[in-house]
Amino acid sequence: MSTVTHPGPGDTTTVAPAGSAKPRPIAEFLSTYVFSKDHKVIGLQFLFSTLVWFLIGGLLALAVRWQVAWPWSDVPVLGKLFAQEGGQMSPEFYTMLFTMHATVMIFLVIIPILAGAFGNFLIPLMIGADDMAFPTLNMLSYWFMWPAFLAFGASFFVEGGAASSGWTSYPPLTTNPAASPGSGMGQTLWLIGLTFVGVSSMLGSVNYMTTIILMRAPGMTMFRLPMTIWAMFITALLQAFALPVLTAAGFMQLFDRSIGTGFFSPEGSIINNEMTGAGGGQPLLWQHLFWFYSHPAVYIMILPAMGMVSDIMTCFARKPLFGYRPMIYSVAGIAGLGFIVWGHHMFISGMNPALGMTFMVSTMMIALPSAVKTFNWLGTLWGGRIQFTTAMLFSISFVSMFIIGGLSGIFMAATPVDIFIHDTYFIVAHFHYVLFAGTAMGVWAGIYFWFPKMFGRTMNEFWGKVHFFLTFIFLNGTFFTMHILGAVGFPRRLADAYHYETFHHLQPMNAFMTYCAIGMVACQVIFAANFFWSMFYGPRAGRNPWNANGLEWTAPSPPGHGNFDVQPIVYRGPYEYSVPGCEKDHLMQTDPPLETAVAAAH
Amino acid sequence: MRNRLAGLFWSLLFLAVPVLGVAVFAVAPSIDVWLPKDVSAHGKEIDSLFYFILALTGVVFIVTEMLLFWFIWKYDVAARGEEKATYIHGSHTLEVIWTIIPAVVMLFLAIYQMNAWADVKMRRPVMKPTVEVVARQFEWRLRYPGPDEELGTPDDLFLVNDLHVPVDEDVLVQLKSMDVLHSFFLPNLRIKQDAVPGMKIPVWFKATETGQYDLVCAELCGWGHYKMKGRITIESREDFDAWLEQKYREQEATQPNPQEDML
Ligand code: HEM
Ligand SMILES: [Cu+2]
Ligand SMILES: [Cu+2]
């Protein structure tokens, strides 16, 4: 693209940050910003798309919270949008809301923002490559998200509304349309959307693996890679091995639904007073296949964030990462064990209880690498020179919150205890601590940290900290209380639980949580304003605003097409901060070895 | 030394996590947002395992969060003057220690759970089902075997949502579903088991106190999931028998041949 010359001054080899208003031929505009094969543009396309879905997912969550706190009362503002019964929501609508909230957050936000946005933007820059191994595949991986965006988006408007059987899509509720009267295309579109997300992830993961294996700069050995890249690499492996199972299962469910194959339906059911078809299938089969993908997927949803947080923490603690190799081994351990723990989602599903016992052991074991990582993060902070930048605050909070999410996992891994807390708010607390308080905080850390590289400008630190502070307070107000709701047995996914004697006194607590949730979504306005303002008016950042060590910081901000102006050569690992006998407190991966530098000075 | 206010502020924010976290759990029982009353024989074991894990994770939570707080307070750049950060890449000894200790603890924890799990889900009492529960959208259909203690005979008793069981006796429920997944959740008896179409799943418990409690559906089963509510009444053997008899007479009077339309 950059080989096309056109009149006018200006550096044609630089992918200009948005806002440069030079008249360009449409074709060139399309190939630069729309059907671009440049990994940075694709990364930003993923970033913007997923942030938009993040907003949609957040609003869906507020509607869910509204119903949980004040069942059957008129929904303010949003009620007008979906007013059926005069602004009050129906139970069908509520089930659709939480289904689509989870679907959007998992498949259209967390997974694509980590792998698609950060993976794309950072991998070539951090390993010293000029682009991905397969730029065209890379472009396709973004454009395959669009059929998914459209399928999920359109499903809100089809008759009967979007999917409403939970993000786990358990049959026979999903395979037999009669089980949810009035539901139409929604569930089918959901399955189609899921398939496209899968295709996109698969294209990305093949690309990431190849790029990381083949395109590292000279001197960049595997054990000199930053943790972000290790995490992206292992995430790509997880995707590649787990996704085919989900895709196959998704097609089976689609066939069950559309042509009655009956993979997941037993014979002799009576749904909605009608005998069902021949059957011959097993509902539990879906759960096995689904979780065989979706448990590894929960790590797909956090490992890259763990990697980014490790890199950011070392930079702002000015210290080498504590236990670099153990950190890598524990990521690998999580990935390996991640394939043999899926049954912990099925302890009380009717699965053989003896099998439940073995899954309990493997699940307890997977807490181990998570613990090792936590200890190493603490070790990294110990003895550092900690700078409280916004990115650092988000990173520290990632560690603090991940501790909570990891520990609550142990309760549910204990099968007897899980009998009581399964499908209660305890689980809702658990996965929001790992996914929101963990991954989303890691994502914000990553945005504040790499924003200068993405747009050549820095975000406002003061407003960044305000954003951090409010988000942190509100998220704990919303999610921490869910643990004790779960201890009462308060079930998830109930449109109204207060008619149960056991739960009717919990409404005030739920109202409190909803207020916090509203605050949490509202304070994202600060983030959005800061983000867009800084993109155009933020202070210009040099190549290396944080004095960090990685290769990405040797490239211009933002890097032009091809990334580096000189081929980077790597002499050391990424965490050489505060090296004794070195004047600067950081030694970049490309700085020539100390001895030669010292020798040259003599 | 530079201004440490910012460091103080952020350290305290992270200190608030363990402080308020512990406070929430400490206050919860007194405001009745806590484990509901347990009236089952096996529930004590489950609850004590819950408390055991709570204590264990509580200690880890407090220690790690306090270390986090302490490190960011102590190693704030403003407190460090000209001193460089410690140049250290890790410690083999520490890695070994903090791998082995949690590994042993986690393994112990897993083994420690097994007996309770086996009691609730594996060691089924040898007896005929007390009642068959057939879940369907959105109600619990019950079938008692009647005097001959056999399900599927003409003296079966059919009821909806109104589950009665005798106190201090083993109860065996045969759990089925007619349509989609449901989950048979008795919070006060620490029982939860999914009902799966095509499967007959045994559920057993022994209630230790008389009373009336909720029967909740805990697995999403469609739009009416939230209202799939039943009640369980735990009563003495005499009351239970009398109740069965009375219900049976009512059924005879109203419905000549009820099992025709049942599965
Ligand atoms: C310390 C390690 C962890 C352990 C021991 C653990 C354990 C568990 C268990 C046993 C369940 C099933 C609970 C039930 O359904 O009764 C569960 C659910 C879940 N976990 Fe974890 N977990 C851990 C870490 C994570 C991480 C890192 C993530 C994501 C980033 C995660 C995401 C989830 C999600 C999304 C669910 C709920 C799925 C659903 O039912 O909708 N977990 N976890
Ligand atoms: Cu899992
Ligand atoms: Cu239900």
Side-chain angles (χ1 to χ4, degrees):
Chain A
M1 50 147 257
S2 57
T3 51
V4 184
T5 47
H6 51 81
D11 179 5
T12 57
T13 60
T14 307
V15 176
S20 68
K22 275 176 252 159
R24 285 166 188 262
I26 287 182
E28 197 190 325
F29 175 82
L30 282 180
S31 71
T32 309
Y33 294 113
V34 184
F35 297 103
S36 169
K37 295 181 187 173
D38 185 310
H39 72 100
K40 298 178 293 296
V41 178
I42 298 171
L44 295 182
Q45 287 173 327
F46 266 109
L47 184 66
F48 285 112
S49 314
T50 48
L51 286 178
V52 169
W53 281 103
F54 200 8
L55 177 66
I56 296 172
L59 294 177
L60 289 169
L62 287 191
V64 171
R65 279 304 322 170
W66 188 271
Q67 170 73 10
V68 176
W70 301 285
W72 321 123
S73 66
D74 289 359
V75 185
V77 195
L78 290 171
K80 300 229 165 41
L81 293 177
F82 49 71
Q84 299 125 318
E85 289 95 52
Q88 173 190 328
M89 67 175 82
S90 61
E92 295 89 319
F93 196 78
Y94 168 77
T95 48
M96 183 201 88
L97 284 174
F98 69 69
T99 300
M100 292 313 286
H101 160 66
T103 302
V104 165
M105 287 305 194
I106 289 172
F107 295 112
L108 301 185
V109 180
I110 297 285
I111 293 180
I113 206 172
L114 290 175
F118 285 103
N120 255 310
F121 189 83
L122 294 177
I123 290 172
L125 279 170
M126 292 179 96
I127 67 172
D130 55 357
D131 206 318
M132 286 284 182
F134 307 116
T136 311
L137 270 193
N138 206 21
M139 175 187 82
L140 287 177
S141 88
Y142 176 69
W143 287 105
F144 267 106
M145 285 305 285
W146 273 91
F149 293 159
L150 294 177
F152 288 129
S155 71
F156 284 97
F157 303 100
V158 298
E159 204 191 326
S164 52
S165 308
W167 79 279
T168 48
S169 196
Y170 280 180
L173 186 58
T174 44
T175 47
N176 195 316
S180 355
S183 84
M185 280 293 285
Q187 185 64 31
T188 308
L189 283 170
W190 187 90
L191 289 163
I192 292 170
L194 189 70
T195 307
F196 279 103
V197 173
V199 174
S200 159
S201 294
M202 193 52 125
L203 294 176
S205 89
V206 170
N207 216 344
Y208 301 163
M209 284 190 283
T210 317
T211 308
I212 294 171
I213 292 175
L214 292 179
M215 299 185 56
R216 282 167 286 132
M220 182 62 102
T221 59
M222 284 306 270
F223 284 107
R224 282 179 180 170
L225 288 175
M227 283 312 295
T228 303
I229 301 302
W230 265 108
M232 292 287 177
F233 182 64
I234 288 172
T235 303
L237 277 171
L238 280 176
Q239 291 270 32
F241 284 106
L243 248 174
V245 177
L246 181 74
T247 311
F251 276 114
M252 288 160 85
Q253 192 172 109
L254 199 58
F255 293 146
D256 266 15
R257 217 182 136 71
S258 51
I259 55 177
T261 42
F263 292 113
F264 304 123
S265 326
E267 63 281 310
S269 292
I270 301 180
I271 296 185
N272 214 357
N273 296 322
E274 304 257 350
M275 279 301 281
T276 59
Q282 231 297 354
L284 289 192
L285 175 60
W286 165 264
Q287 298 185 24
H288 282 293
L289 298 175
F290 180 82
W291 290 115
F292 185 85
Y293 167 76
S294 290
H295 184 83
V298 306
Y299 293 107
I300 291 169
M301 293 182 248
I302 201 165
L303 293 182
M306 289 177 161
M308 299 194 299
V309 161
S310 307
D311 288 352
I312 296 168
M313 274 191 9
T314 49
C315 173
F316 294 118
R318 311 310 293 169
K319 255 198 79 190
L321 184 66
F322 202 89
Y324 173 68
R325 291 214 180 199
M327 281 297 223
I328 295 171
Y329 301 147
S330 44
V331 175
I334 287 177
L337 284 170
F339 277 106
I340 55 165
V341 299
W342 79 89
H344 64 217
H345 298 275
M346 300 173 62
F347 285 147
I348 64 155
S349 66
M351 177 179 77
N352 181 347
L355 200 51
M357 239 179 218
T358 50
F359 277 120
M360 161 166 65
V361 177
S362 57
T363 303
M364 291 281 184
M365 286 297 115
I366 208 169
L368 185 61
S370 313
V372 170
K373 290 194 79 74
T374 307
F375 297 142
N376 280 303
W377 283 319
L378 290 176
T380 304
L381 291 176
W382 166 76
R385 286 170 65 84
I386 296 170
Q387 303 169 5
F388 294 104
T389 56
T390 309
M392 183 61 163
L393 289 169
F394 274 109
S395 302
I396 296 173
S397 79
F398 175 98
V399 177
S400 173
M401 301 288 99
F402 179 71
I403 292 173
I404 299 178
L407 292 176
S408 62
I410 295 174
F411 288 80
M412 304 177 311
T415 45
V417 178
D418 191 55
I419 295 173
F420 183 65
I421 57 181
H422 172 72
D423 265 336
T424 67
Y425 262 73
F426 199 90
I427 286 160
V428 183
H430 164 69
F431 60 71
H432 282 96
Y433 266 93
V434 280
L435 287 175
F436 188 88
T439 303
M441 299 300 257
V443 163
W444 273 309
I447 291 179
Y448 282 97
F449 189 67
W450 280 292
F451 191 92
K453 198 48 61 182
M454 292 173 175
F455 303 104
R457 294 169 187 273
T458 353
M459 285 178 78
N460 182 295
E461 277 288 312
F462 174 79
W463 287 109
K465 285 172 192 170
V466 173
H467 167 226
F468 163 75
F469 178 76
L470 293 176
T471 308
F472 187 77
I473 299 285
F474 285 131
L475 94 85
N476 281 293
T478 310
F479 299 126
F480 198 81
T481 29
M482 288 185 180
H483 292 109
I484 55 173
L485 279 191
V488 191
F490 193 73
R492 66 196 279 205
R493 296 175 169 173
L494 253 56
D496 174 6
Y498 306 120
H499 60 100
Y500 286 105
E501 191 191 356
T502 322
F503 311 123
H504 79 267
H505 62 295
L506 298 175
Q507 192 276 335
M509 179 149 254
N510 273 303
F512 168 77
M513 290 151 69
T514 298
Y515 287 127
C516 291
I518 294 170
M520 186 162 74
V521 173
C523 70
Q524 301 316 315
V525 171
I526 301 174
F527 170 70
N530 192 351
F531 188 95
F532 288 109
W533 191 87
S534 307
M535 227 166 92
F536 301 108
Y537 308 110
R540 284 208 182 273
R543 289 184 180 222
N544 191 0
W546 313 117
N547 293 326
N549 285 342
L551 293 187
E552 75 271 32
W553 304 108
T554 63
S557 298
H561 193 61
N563 294 344
F564 298 95
D565 25 24
V566 284
Q567 168 68 53
I569 298 179
V570 176
Y571 296 99
R572 62 181 65 74
Y575 302 119
E576 295 305 293
Y577 293 101
S578 305
V579 182
C582 170
E583 251 173 68
K584 297 189 300 177
D585 75 339
H586 66 122
L587 264 180
M588 298 191 70
Q589 292 192 275
T590 49
D591 286 340
L594 265 190
E595 306 85 71
T596 36
V598 173
H602 281 283
Chain B
M1 206 178 274
R2 270 186 283 164
N3 188 349
R4 296 207 59 193
L5 266 183
L8 180 65
F9 181 76
W10 296 120
S11 318
L12 288 180
L13 183 68
F14 286 104
L15 178 63
V17 172
V19 171
L20 293 180
V22 171
V24 167
F25 274 85
V27 168
S30 63
I31 55 168
D32 199 22
V33 187
W34 199 238
L35 300 173
K37 181 175 172 207
D38 162 52
V39 294
S40 70
H42 68 272
K44 317 270 167 305
E45 216 178 340
I46 290 185
D47 289 1
S48 71
L49 287 171
F50 178 87
Y51 284 114
F52 181 76
I53 299 176
L54 186 64
L56 193 82
T57 53
V59 170
V60 178
F61 172 65
I62 294 169
V63 170
T64 47
E65 298 281 3
M66 290 303 283
L67 280 177
L68 185 74
F69 150 73
W70 182 242
F71 289 165
I72 55 185
W73 165 244
K74 179 129 190 271
Y75 299 111
D76 174 4
V77 65
R80 300 281 274 159
E82 292 306 302
E83 203 184 340
K84 266 196 165 184
T86 320
Y87 181 72
I88 181 173
H89 286 88
S91 150
H92 191 70
T93 326
L94 277 179
E95 299 291 347
V96 171
I97 293 173
W98 67 41
T99 307
I100 304 248
I101 292 180
V104 172
V105 172
M106 297 310 289
L107 201 61
F108 162 75
L109 203 55
I111 294 169
Y112 191 57
Q113 310 289 325
M114 287 181 176
N115 194 41
W117 175 249
D119 276 345
V120 190
K121 297 280 179 186
M122 292 165 86
R123 300 193 187 117
R124 174 189 344 184
V126 190
M127 62 187 287
K128 298 221 169 96
T130 319
V131 57
E132 182 186 71
V133 175
V134 183
R136 58 164 262 167
Q137 289 178 326
F138 300 100
E139 63 191 16
W140 303 95
R141 295 212 168 174
L142 315 170
R143 170 154 82 164
Y144 285 90
D148 67 351
E149 302 191 347
E150 293 289 342
L151 286 165
T153 49
D155 65 345
D156 288 358
L157 169 65
F158 296 89
L159 291 160
V160 176
N161 289 341
D162 185 20
L163 179 65
H164 283 234
V165 297
V167 71
D168 289 329
E169 280 178 42
D170 280 326
V171 172
L172 181 63
V173 177
Q174 178 170 302
L175 184 61
K176 301 204 303 195
S177 166
M178 212 186 260
D179 42 32
V180 298
L181 298 176
H182 303 272
S183 195
F184 180 75
F185 180 24
L186 296 168
N188 301 82
L189 288 136
R190 308 294 188 263
I191 284 290
K192 192 181 286 137
Q193 174 60 55
D194 285 5
V196 184
M199 288 176 80
K200 237 189 247 178
I201 303 176
V203 177
W204 58 92
F205 55 85
K206 190 194 264 181
T208 54
E209 257 181 62
T210 56
Q212 269 214 339
Y213 303 99
D214 283 325
L215 162 56
V216 183
C217 179
E219 180 68 64
L220 179 64
C221 55
W223 68 270
H225 172 51
Y226 73 100
K227 60 172 191 179
M228 186 161 164
K229 172 183 175 178
R231 292 289 278 174
I232 178 169
T233 307
I234 304 165
E235 54 199 359
S236 67
R237 185 79 223 182
E238 301 80 63
D239 290 353
F240 177 63
D241 285 338
W243 174 81
L244 274 181
E245 198 146 322
Q246 187 212 336
K247 286 291 163 186
Y248 191 65
R249 257 185 279 115
E250 282 172 20
Q251 170 174 308
E252 290 289 85
T254 53
Q255 225 178 328
N257 217 355
Q259 71 273 30
E260 291 292 74
D261 58 302
M262 296 293 293
L263 271 187

